[in-house]
Amino acid sequence: AARRLIELLAKQGRVEELRARADAGDDLAASRLVNLLAKQGRVEELRARADAGDDLAASRLVNLLAEQGRVEELRARVDAGDGWAARWLVELLAEQGRVEEALVVLRARADAGDELAASRLVDLLAEQGRVEELRARVDAGDGWATSRLVDLLAEQGRMEELRVWVDAGDVVAIQLFLDALARNHRAEAAHIQRHGLSANDQPKYTRP
């Protein structure tokens, strides 16, 4: 009966009664209250609950701030250490074309040990075609950056640079290298397929 009552209160949007039950320690009421506050766009009430330690409220709050495009409020939560807010802030900035700001946020989070931020940083650098920055992350030991760098070199037709990874034995690079040759240098690709790829063979490639 208690559960059905809470669901009914939520369905009817009766915030005060849900709040009373939540404040009395009812976890289900607290959950339904937070969802209702988010649905009604009540940012300040969500913020109060989030600041009081309610993780669900914090999550719903940053989602709502992102939906409303409230960049500076998201940034304030990021500065307070909210990793979920950082992810939403980055996507919102990128969506608005503010890529440099998004990269600043991601670099700071990645340098602080946030693996998800590091992964998104690499993806965004690749999306922007920023080879040298990807290369710097590879040199710093970022394995995901290695994969994305190899992909990007292939996409940009930078055959000489891709060949470095081939000679190092990178399996993905070898396949991408052969695919690129097949598209742009068919005779040479056929020769390699028949006779193999020698590390001493250093042909010069030009982009089509």
Side-chain angles (χ1 to χ4, degrees):
R3 181 182 182 88
R4 292 297 299 274
L5 172 61
I6 289 168
E7 299 296 352
L8 184 59
L9 292 174
K11 184 177 180 180
Q12 294 181 355
R14 295 165 71 163
V15 170
E16 296 308 321
E17 291 169 83
L18 278 175
R19 183 181 289 113
R21 297 186 72 86
D23 291 346
D26 189 318
D27 291 338
L28 179 60
S31 171
R32 295 298 182 268
L33 171 62
V34 165
N35 290 335
L36 184 57
L37 292 174
K39 183 178 180 180
Q40 294 179 353
R42 296 165 72 156
V43 169
E44 295 310 317
E45 291 175 76
L46 278 176
R47 196 193 315 277
R49 297 194 72 83
D51 292 345
D54 186 326
D55 291 338
L56 179 60
S59 172
R60 293 292 186 272
L61 172 62
V62 297
N63 290 356
L64 189 57
L65 292 175
E67 288 172 10
Q68 295 180 357
R70 296 164 73 158
V71 169
E72 296 312 314
E73 291 173 79
L74 277 173
R75 199 188 305 275
R77 294 201 67 81
V78 173
D79 292 342
D82 188 328
W84 185 242
R87 296 180 193 109
W88 276 106
L89 175 60
V90 165
E91 299 310 320
L92 184 58
L93 290 171
E95 185 180 296
Q96 293 178 353
R98 298 161 68 175
V99 175
E100 292 303 324
E101 292 177 70
L103 289 172
V104 167
V105 174
L106 285 171
R107 288 189 193 102
R109 299 288 305 177
D111 291 345
D114 185 329
E115 293 183 3
L116 285 175
S119 174
R120 184 66 183 102
L121 171 60
V122 165
D123 286 341
L124 189 54
L125 290 173
E127 289 166 18
Q128 297 296 310
R130 296 166 78 146
V131 169
E132 296 312 315
E133 290 178 75
L134 275 176
R135 201 189 309 277
R137 294 203 66 81
V138 171
D139 293 342
D142 188 326
W144 180 238
T146 299
S147 174
R148 297 297 276 134
L149 174 60
V150 168
D151 288 343
L152 187 57
L153 292 175
E155 287 172 16
Q156 295 183 354
R158 296 168 71 154
M159 302 296 287
E160 293 289 347
E161 294 169 82
L162 185 58
R163 181 58 192 265
V164 173
W165 291 96
V166 171
D167 291 343
D170 188 295
V171 175
V172 174
I174 292 170
Q175 186 58 58
L176 290 171
F177 182 83
L178 291 173
D179 289 346
L181 280 179
R183 287 193 303 271
N184 306 315
H185 308 275
R186 290 183 176 82
E188 187 165 8
H191 174 82
I192 290 172
Q193 292 285 9
R194 285 195 303 271
H195 303 291
L197 184 63
S198 168
N200 296 320
D201 177 24
Q202 295 289 346
K204 297 294 183 183
Y205 306 101
T206 56
R207 294 184 65 182

